Amino acid sequence: MINGRISEGKAIVPVIFRLPSQPDFSVDFVIDTGFNDYLTLPIQAVNIMNLPLYSSISARLADGSKTVLSVHSAIIIWDNVEKVVPVLASGNKPLLGVALMEGYHLEIDFEENGLVSLKKISSAMS
């Protein structure tokens, strides 16, 4: 299970990054259910973390404009499992999209410091 909190009306969860030759560290991400991919980080954060470039994509932003975004690769610890995920270099705050939450139940108590939890959905075998 992954736990977070409501802060200033936003659902925030920590994501642990694993970089070569550095201790693991956590970055707080805002859950964005309108974002279909995995993660976004500001370009400055991607550069500081020296995340390797994976590819570039054309994207339509929330305001309707089109742009080209660089896609980087990152190793994260998600629910105690190491995963390699794409990170879009975009915006001014870290966003967590629905692709990373696939297979999880999201529960949010919408009040300041309210609980945000992501729990893996267990499939019943017949």
Side-chain angles (χ1 to χ4, degrees), residues 14-90:
V15 174
I16 298 169
F17 282 81
R18 180 161 287 165
L19 299 178
S21 305
Q22 294 186 28
D24 291 351
F25 63 95
S26 179
V27 175
D28 285 343
F29 281 77
V30 175
I31 292 177
D32 183 351
T33 59
F35 172 48
N36 294 329
D37 218 318
Y38 289 81
L39 299 171
T40 69
L41 279 171
I43 294 168
Q44 301 88 337
V46 169
N47 291 338
I48 289 169
M49 295 166 67
N50 200 26
L51 297 179
L53 181 64
Y54 177 73
S55 68
S56 297
I57 61 166
S58 291
R60 184 174 301 277
L61 302 178
D63 67 3
S65 63
K66 286 186 176 181
T67 189
V68 175
L69 299 176
S70 60
V71 181
H72 298 261
S73 180
I75 299 171
I76 64 168
I77 308 302
W78 181 252
D79 204 11
N80 298 314
V81 175
E82 186 175 285
K83 297 182 95 164
V84 177
V85 297
V87 176
L88 299 176
S90 177

